[in-house]
Amino acid sequence: MEKQDGRDTGEVGFDDPWYDALASGWGELDSTGAPAPALPPARREHEDRARGAADVYLEVQRSAAFQEVRSRYRRFVVPGVIVFFTWYVGYVVTATTAPGLMARPVAGAVNVALLAGLGQFLTTFLFTWAYARHARLRRDRAALDLRWDTQELTRSARGGEL
């Protein structure tokens, strides 16, 4: 039972974790002596609206605008991850299989391994900057438009409620 303003309203809250829609009405009789419905009418309306919202999300997912945003994301991230992962594994493999190469001095106490290790940090920051820039310039506006459209469609599927 939900309590609002300190009063017992007598209504079951559907977001109540103790409410079991499948068990309510199971084997019980309603006031007319007939078996009670498995779901109360209010619960059915709530589930119909939820299904309507789910249909909206599926419709948006199938839209050309959503597919374009996902495509832009993949076109940047997949090659970036491949290059970065190859660079990282190459560093680790070279460090373990060619210690003589990695120990070669470049300038004073600075050797190839130290420069490559610092290069790992540098490429991490560069990749992060490039990802944020790509997202800002190529995806964020379209994603915000999709989000707005989805919220509007979901609101209308729920009958105008927030």
Side-chain angles (χ1 to χ4, degrees):
M1 302 291 229
E2 282 184 321
K3 295 217 179 234
Q4 298 174 352
D5 300 327
R7 298 185 318 264
D8 185 3
T9 62
E11 296 177 11
V12 174
F14 297 119
D15 55 349
D16 182 2
W18 297 105
Y19 177 75
D20 187 359
L22 296 176
S24 66
W26 185 29
E28 299 173 6
L29 301 177
D30 65 4
S31 60
T32 63
L39 291 176
R43 178 66 183 218
R44 274 190 228 112
E45 290 171 13
H46 178 73
E47 287 183 352
D48 289 343
R49 285 191 304 241
R51 271 190 227 111
D55 292 339
V56 166
Y57 284 103
L58 288 174
E59 177 184 335
V60 169
Q61 184 180 10
R62 292 181 189 121
S63 72
F66 181 83
Q67 295 303 320
E68 179 62 26
V69 170
R70 293 297 296 169
S71 175
R72 289 178 183 178
Y73 171 78
R74 286 186 196 112
R75 282 193 309 252
F76 180 84
V77 170
V78 170
V81 167
I82 290 170
V83 167
F84 188 78
F85 188 71
T86 303
W87 161 231
Y88 174 74
V89 170
Y91 170 73
V92 171
V93 168
T94 305
T96 57
T97 60
L101 171 68
M102 297 300 264
R104 234 181 237 162
V106 175
V110 177
N111 61 14
V112 173
L114 183 62
L115 287 178
L118 291 173
Q120 292 286 316
F121 285 104
L122 179 64
T123 55
T124 300
F125 292 122
L126 285 174
F127 187 67
T128 303
W129 170 80
Y131 176 82
R133 183 176 185 277
H134 182 269
R136 186 180 69 247
L137 296 176
R138 308 252 188 251
R139 296 190 321 264
D140 285 353
R141 173 56 50 198
L144 275 172
D145 291 344
L146 275 171
R147 181 178 178 192
W148 182 261
D149 293 344
T150 304
Q151 288 176 348
E152 290 296 316
L153 289 170
T154 304
R155 186 174 295 120
S156 65
R158 291 182 177 165
E161 49 178 67
L162 296 175

